[in-house]
Amino acid sequence: PIPYHMLKEEKLMIRPLTEQDFEAVTAIVNDGWRTTYAGYVAPALLEDAGCRERAAALEQDFRSHRLEEYVWEEAGEVWALLSAGDTGDKDRPGAFELWRIYVAEKAQGKGVGGRLLEFGERLAWEKGKTQIVIWVFRRNTHALAFYQKHGYRMDKMEQLGEPYMAEGVRLIKRLEEAKL
């Protein structure tokens, strides 16, 4: 198991997601979808029904343990979510994937995303993985720039069908290139 990352003087930590965190992370993810992806994903995904479906999918992932789920907690409040695990990409067998990094709006621009990304990379490294996969929507230029700044390179683009109806970009980072 990965030790929790805690800096007591800052009253923050990265720790496993618990059921008590579920309402907070669902709100963070759905708020992120509504504010970031509006205008380039299928509108139904941003409506209440789409948010309920996403919340159900998050809960399913949590209960099935399909992914490892972590939260960023600061001063007793959940500010972000990281979901990670083996990739589903058939052409990248054995790769690790960062499935979700969502940071609450009030915590953006404070280094939370970068620290979660670093934690995810360490998690992959400790599992013996040599590459990490991340998918983002092509029109999410902020996320593309963020990952590229952290050493990820564009690997391929493809049109994502239902339910997204948007173009996706896969980014790859080889961990032997990283300084973990």
Side-chain angles (χ1 to χ4, degrees), residues 111 114 117 142-153 171 173:
L117 183 61
H142 179 74
L144 283 170
F146 170 78
Y147 291 121
Q148 289 175 318
K149 179 179 105 178
H150 288 280
Y152 289 79
R153 64 175 176 74
L171 298 126
K173 183 173 186 176

Side-chain angles (χ1 to χ4, degrees), residues 78-91:
V78 173
W79 283 18
L81 170 70
L82 166 70
S83 301
D86 290 333
T87 189
D89 292 356
K90 303 282 187 245
D91 65 333

Side-chain angles (χ1 to χ4, degrees), residues 92-106:
R92 293 288 175 178
F96 197 70
E97 185 164 345
L98 299 180
W99 291 82
R100 297 180 195 101
I101 295 181
Y102 286 92
V103 178
E105 189 174 352
K106 69 179 174 186

Side-chain angles (χ1 to χ4, degrees), residues 40-72:
Y40 57 89
V41 299
L45 294 173
L46 308 177
E47 295 168 359
D48 289 344
C51 290
R52 284 191 302 275
E53 286 178 26
R54 195 166 21 267
L58 284 165
E59 185 173 0
Q60 173 63 29
D61 281 348
F62 172 71
R63 297 206 185 287
S64 71
H65 303 287
R66 180 179 79 88
L67 302 173
E68 294 185 45
E69 311 269 3
Y70 295 91
V71 295
W72 175 283

